[in-house]
């Protein structure tokens, strides 16, 4: 009987255990899902912040007035900015449990303010479906797209030859959809895709095929074809069989920060009788799978989408290439630079073969200063493709851009007698350089120009756009530079200017320009009150606080910081030359307070003294878009988006209702997202069902919670390979979280000797014991002894509760400097209030010496280290790891005020065992 009863009890107990284990497994999955969800929200918020700053940076560029744009560009950028800002607001509220609902109201108010600015703005359609280039100017960019508007401006304002052609306007695009009743059919299919489906390749491909098939199956309306035929007859009726055209897209957004290269179709060598079918193929490419996915990921709304198409006569180029009206990398070199190859231009533009290089003096004589003739073995030429390519829509819609281009061009050998001959004569070089001078004078800034030489010997301008001066760092001097790859001389980093001492040789350029003034070192916000007019601000790290002096500042140099961060955006807004991320060998102490210096925001260098050559090279010219109605409209809109008023997180107005611009909202969300992730540690002690105990020689009971990708064998899905063995053991060699490994490196430092007895001041020991026995308030303050690390590959939230001490480390460590940070908090202790305050002040001194920003209140210290490269983040986490163990018995040492500095000095010196005690 006892045996039967005993066995029955065992059976009941085993079933209860199994039932409990099943419940725990459900709890485990739920707990891990909560952590992963919060981490995903955090990453999405950081990504939206980066995307928003790309948009705002492009608007800042347009405000300089050197780029052609229209009202559609402004509308597109506003919509995209609103979407990214909303993502930040939404993710912060979900992350925090809806702590900041006022942000939605603030965002809506800004949206309404922008709409009020737009009220009365004329956004009418063009009067025609087709406009020839002879009737187009830059003001028509909203109707014909940036490409056609620019070519029309060049032809009609400057009388410079451009290819013959016309623009099929946005009105034709809308008319095509409306007459064929396509909008509803397209919308039905587009509505089947949401943001979560952009990676569903099968779904995107199927819906894309359906939409493009619908477009290709419909006829171009008669009224549109009539205008196309009229334009063709006017231009080419005399010899229609000899004319081939290129059809190029010009969709909304192409004049902004987005890179639409390869997203939409370009067709070359099209016969005049095929223009209608080619037009449908180009606008159908608006709905290719990759185009739809790209626009959705960038926040471009389909209802605001339209496309103009440029129809340009193909130039059967004898020679072609690129011209810069000044050197694209050396701000001091104001000579005209021409690159030339035989045949069509892509081989020169893409750097496939080494071109001829000609340098021309920019004066009335246009003297040729140098000639560098290369061996040009091959060339691209036009050829007539099979007519099947456009007669069969099924073939056209299935081809890639590269395949369609291949239909119109081919590579052939250059005749042996021409391989080493110059591609241009001296007269042609000078004629081309003369066009360059006229274009630069008209657009009031240096130009990057594509050109071609036709069989009749005429030079034709294919494109002209503002030239961006590219800084070439030593590391990238041999690499391919966007827009500046043509010729070996261009890629070479300019030598330092002779006759001047170089104080800083290498840096990252956050804002271009040249600035001169006296060096003024800023070590704290208090120093800003004494900042002199026209000085150069020098600081260890970037800070939005510096906006207070940017209007009177000639330049900024910071040892660290992110060129995509808040301060960099402000520097560009105020046109302050700014250098960040100085080389490891650079020391700002080499620039004494009061020294006169020059900041070269093009070359990334700092010189002692005033470099007059640089100052003279950047004399301000009036930008050609300034004063135009669309530029004035952008200025008004930008006033609600770009300025930053929310600067100091400690200020009383650093609240949701204090936000006045989109930049303010982004700043608030960015700041408080760190705080919310910092608080994730509070969940660990309540939801630790699926954790892994770390096997390491540490004096703490440390448990790991993997968000996915933090442990070897776990992936992005967040399912660790060991998830079925919850409450198991893991060793450090199973961990791949970068910030966690850095923290562990410090905690396991060989000089800490964590198992050895700690030095104890006897009077301090008695004081601590007395405080523990006599102060009942401490009983409730004692924390649990289990510590937690919530990890991912680039993320760490570490919370340590040992005795009466409580510390939290929250960190992100990746390749994007603007996302990287460390937040640290330390609180508690067993001693009296005075000794606990001494301890946190000692910790503050230590952290300040390692460049943390620190705030001390009573017995709590909070610190932040942010926007540094990953190696520096790892180094400071190593320091924090050492500090966490070093502080364990500091309570007993803080007997006098002198002990604050003494303890800090010992730690900074590496005397972790306090051997001098």
């Amino acid at each position: 009987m006892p045996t039967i009863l005993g066995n029955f009890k065992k059976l009941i107990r085993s079933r209860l255990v199994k039932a409990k284990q099943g419940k725990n497994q459900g709890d485990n999955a739920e707990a891990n899902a909560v952590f992963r969800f919060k981490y995903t929200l955090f990453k999405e918020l950081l990504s939206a912040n980066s995307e928003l700053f790309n948009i705002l940076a492009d608007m800042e560029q347009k405000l300089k007035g050197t780029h052609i744009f229209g009202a559609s560009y402004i509308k597109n950028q506003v919509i995209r900015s609103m979407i990214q800002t909303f993502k930040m607001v939404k993710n912060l509220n979900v992350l925090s449990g809806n702590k900041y609902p006022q942000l939605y109201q603030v965002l809506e108010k800004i949206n309404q303010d922008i709409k009020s600015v737009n009220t009365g703005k004329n956004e009418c359609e063009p009067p025609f479906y087709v406009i020839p280039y002879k009737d187009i100017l830059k003001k028509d960019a909203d109707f014909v797209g940036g490409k056609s508007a620019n070519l029309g401006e060049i032809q009609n304002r400057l009388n410079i030859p451009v290819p013959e052609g016309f623009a099929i306007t946005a009105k034709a695009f809308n008319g095509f959809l409306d007459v064929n009743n396509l909008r509803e059919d397209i919308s039905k299919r587009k509505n089947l895709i949401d943001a979560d489906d952009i990676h569903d390749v099968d779904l995107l491909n199927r819906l894309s095929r359906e939409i493009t098939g619908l477009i290709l199956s419909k006829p171009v309306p008669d009224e549109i074809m009539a205008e196309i035929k009229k334009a063709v007859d006017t231009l080419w009726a005399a010899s229609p069989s000899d004319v081939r055209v290129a059809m190029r897209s010009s969709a909304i957004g192409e004049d902004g920060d987005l890179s639409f290269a390869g997203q939409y179709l370009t067709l070359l060598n099209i016969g005049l009788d095929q223009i209608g079918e080619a037009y449908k193929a180009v606008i159908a490419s608006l709905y290719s799978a990759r185009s739809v996915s790209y626009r959705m990921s960038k926040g471009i709304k389909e209802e605001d989408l339209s496309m103009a198409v440029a129809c340009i006569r193909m130039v059967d180029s004898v020679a072609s290439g690129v011209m810069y009206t000044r050197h694209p990398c050396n701000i001091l070199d104001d000579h005209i630079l021409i690159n030339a190859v035989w045949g069509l231009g892509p081989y020169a533009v893409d750097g496939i073969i080494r071109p001829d290089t000609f340098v021309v003096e920019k004066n009335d004589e246009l003297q040729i200063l140098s000639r560098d003739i290369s061996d040009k073995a091959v060339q691209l030429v036009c050829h007539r493709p099979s007519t099947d390519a456009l007669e069969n829509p099924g073939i056209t819609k299935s081809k890639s851009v590269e395949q369609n281009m291949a239909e119109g061009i081919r590579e052939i050998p250059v005749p042996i007698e021409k391989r080493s001959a110059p591609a241009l004569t001296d007269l042609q070089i000078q004629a081309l350089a003369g066009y360059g001078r006229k274009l630069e004078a008209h657009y009031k800034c240096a130009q990057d120009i594509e050109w071609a030489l036709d069989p009749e010997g005429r030079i034709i301008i294919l494109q002209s756009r503002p030239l961006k001066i590219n800084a070439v760092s030593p590391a990238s001097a041999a690499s391919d530079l966007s827009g500046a790859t043509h010729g070996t001389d261009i890629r070479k980093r300019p030598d330092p200017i002779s006759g001047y001492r170089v104080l800083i040789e290498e840096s990252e350029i956050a804002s271009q320009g040249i600035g001169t003034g006296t060096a003024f070192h800023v070590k704290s916000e208090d120093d800003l009150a004494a900042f002199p007019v026209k000085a150069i601000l020098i600081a260890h790290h970037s800070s939005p606080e510096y906006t207070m002096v940017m209007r009177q500042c000639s330049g900024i140099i910071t040892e660290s910081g992110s060129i995509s961060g808040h301060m960099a955006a402000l520097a560009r807004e105020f046109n302050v030359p700014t250098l960040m991320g100085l080389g490891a060998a650079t020391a700002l102490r080499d620039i004494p307070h009061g020294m006169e210096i020059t900041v070269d925001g093009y070359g990334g260098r700092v010189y002692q003294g005033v470099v007059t050559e640089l100052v003279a090279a950047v004399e301000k010219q009036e930008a050609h878009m300034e004063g135009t109605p669309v530029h004035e409209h952008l200025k008004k809109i930008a006033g609600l988006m770009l300025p930053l008023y929310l600067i100091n997180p400690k200020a009383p107005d650093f609240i949701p209702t204090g936000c006045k611009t989109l930049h303010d909202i982004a700043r608030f969300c960015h700041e408080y997202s760190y705080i919310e992730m910092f608080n994730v540690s509070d969940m660990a002690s309540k939801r630790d069902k699926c954790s892994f105990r770390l096997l390491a020689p540490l004096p703490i009971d440390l448990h790991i919670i993997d968000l996915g990708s933090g442990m070897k064998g776990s992936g992005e899905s967040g399912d660790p390979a060991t998830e079925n063995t919850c409450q198991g053991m893991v060793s450090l060699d199973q961990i791949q979280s970068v910030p966690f490994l850095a923290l562990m490196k410090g905690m396991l430092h060989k000089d800490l000797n964590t198992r050895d007895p700690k030095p104890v001041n006897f009077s301090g020991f008695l004081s601590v014991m007395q405080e523990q026995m006599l102060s009942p308030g401490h009983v409730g303050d004692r924390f649990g002894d289990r510590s937690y690390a919530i990890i991912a590959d680039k993320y760490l939230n570490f919370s340590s509760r040992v005795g009466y001490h409580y510390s939290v480390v929250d960190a992100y460590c990746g390749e994007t400097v603007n996302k990287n940070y460390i937040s640290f908090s330390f609180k508690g202790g067993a001693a009296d209030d005075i000794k606990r305050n001494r301890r946190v002040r000692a910790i503050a001194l230590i952290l300040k010496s390692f460049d943390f920003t620190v705030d001390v209140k009573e017995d709590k210290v909070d610190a932040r280290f942010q926007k540094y490269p990953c190696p520096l983040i790892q180094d400071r986490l190593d320091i924090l790891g050492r500090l966490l163990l070093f502080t364990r018995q500091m309570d007993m040492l803080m007997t006098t005020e002198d002990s604050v500095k003494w303890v800090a000095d010992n730690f900074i010196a590496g005397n972790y065992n306090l051997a001098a005690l």
Side-chain angles (χ1 to χ4, degrees), residues 201-369:
V201 176
D202 291 338
L203 176 63
L204 281 170
N205 282 333
R206 177 174 63 81
L207 295 176
S208 171
R209 284 193 299 269
E210 291 179 9
I211 295 173
T212 55
L214 280 171
I215 293 172
L216 293 170
S217 68
K218 300 296 183 180
V220 179
D222 291 342
E223 56 269 34
I224 297 176
M225 283 305 303
E227 289 197 22
I228 291 175
K229 186 177 185 305
K230 179 180 177 182
V232 167
D233 290 343
T234 301
L235 290 170
W236 304 308
S239 54
S241 61
D242 296 332
V243 177
R244 313 292 289 183
V245 297
M247 304 287 286
R248 300 181 184 274
S249 66
S250 190
I252 187 170
E254 284 190 302
D255 303 319
D257 62 303
L258 298 179
S259 175
F260 280 87
Q263 300 297 324
Y264 305 131
L265 195 63
T266 292
L267 294 173
L268 303 179
N269 255 5
I270 304 301
L272 297 183
D273 58 338
Q274 299 171 324
I275 288 177
E277 291 300 314
Y279 173 70
K280 291 194 296 181
V282 173
I283 63 173
S285 70
L286 197 63
Y287 299 98
S288 69
R290 62 179 173 179
S291 300
V292 171
S293 175
Y294 185 79
R295 290 195 301 272
M296 290 183 70
S297 68
K298 297 297 182 182
I300 299 175
K301 298 173 68 175
E302 293 293 323
E303 55 264 36
D304 298 308
L305 204 60
S306 63
M307 177 181 278
V309 176
C311 183
I312 305 170
R313 181 171 185 170
M314 289 287 297
V315 179
D316 194 4
S317 306
V318 174
S320 54
V322 178
M323 172 171 59
Y324 304 113
T325 61
R326 71 178 307 148
H327 198 288
C329 300
N330 186 353
I331 191 65
L332 291 179
D333 189 346
D334 195 37
H335 297 129
I336 295 172
L337 194 66
I338 297 172
N339 288 326
V341 298
W342 294 117
L344 299 175
Y347 276 7
V349 174
D350 298 334
I352 303 298
I353 63 174
R354 184 172 176 268
D356 296 342
T357 301
F358 308 99
V359 180
V360 183
E361 185 77 61
K362 197 188 296 180
N363 55 20
D364 292 339
E365 288 73 30
L366 296 172
Q367 178 185 0
I368 301 173
L369 300 177

Side-chain angles (χ1 to χ4, degrees), residues 109-176:
K109 182 181 183 304
I110 294 173
N111 185 37
Q112 292 303 320
D113 289 343
I114 290 175
K115 286 182 177 179
S116 68
V117 173
N118 286 328
T119 299
K121 183 69 180 173
N122 186 11
E123 295 184 6
C124 62
E125 277 194 324
F128 306 107
Y129 295 118
V130 174
I131 305 178
Y133 282 162
K134 69 180 182 63
D135 297 326
I136 293 175
L137 294 171
K138 67 182 180 184
K139 65 179 178 61
D140 300 312
D142 281 333
F143 306 148
V144 301
K147 291 185 181 76
S148 293
N150 201 29
L151 287 174
E153 180 80 5
I154 293 170
Q155 174 180 299
N156 299 312
R157 295 287 193 198
L158 302 179
N159 198 30
I160 292 176
V162 301
E164 295 174 335
F166 54 85
I168 306 176
T169 67
K171 180 180 181 179
F173 173 81
N174 293 324
F176 177 87

Side-chain angles (χ1 to χ4, degrees), residues 541-542 560-562 565-566 670 817-818 820-821 865-869:
H541 198 278
S542 62
S560 299
S562 168
H566 295 284
H670 195 253
V817 172
N818 200 40
N820 292 344
Y821 72 93
F865 185 83
Q866 62 182 352
K867 297 182 183 178
Y868 284 91

Side-chain angles (χ1 to χ4, degrees), residues 722-773:
T722 52
E723 189 166 4
N724 291 328
T725 58
C726 292
Q727 302 291 335
M729 305 286 189
V730 293
S731 58
L732 276 177
D733 60 6
Q734 293 176 262
I735 304 295
Q736 59 185 14
S737 169
V738 173
F740 180 66
L741 288 174
L743 188 74
M744 288 298 100
K745 180 182 176 183
M747 295 184 75
L748 294 169
H749 192 280
K750 60 183 179 61
D751 293 337
L752 282 166
N753 295 325
T754 55
R755 296 185 179 182
D756 292 345
K758 297 296 176 187
V760 177
N761 179 290
F762 189 66
S763 63
F765 174 75
L766 291 178
S767 173
V768 170
M769 293 300 295
Q770 180 182 22
E771 182 69 17
Q772 290 185 49
M773 290 185 292

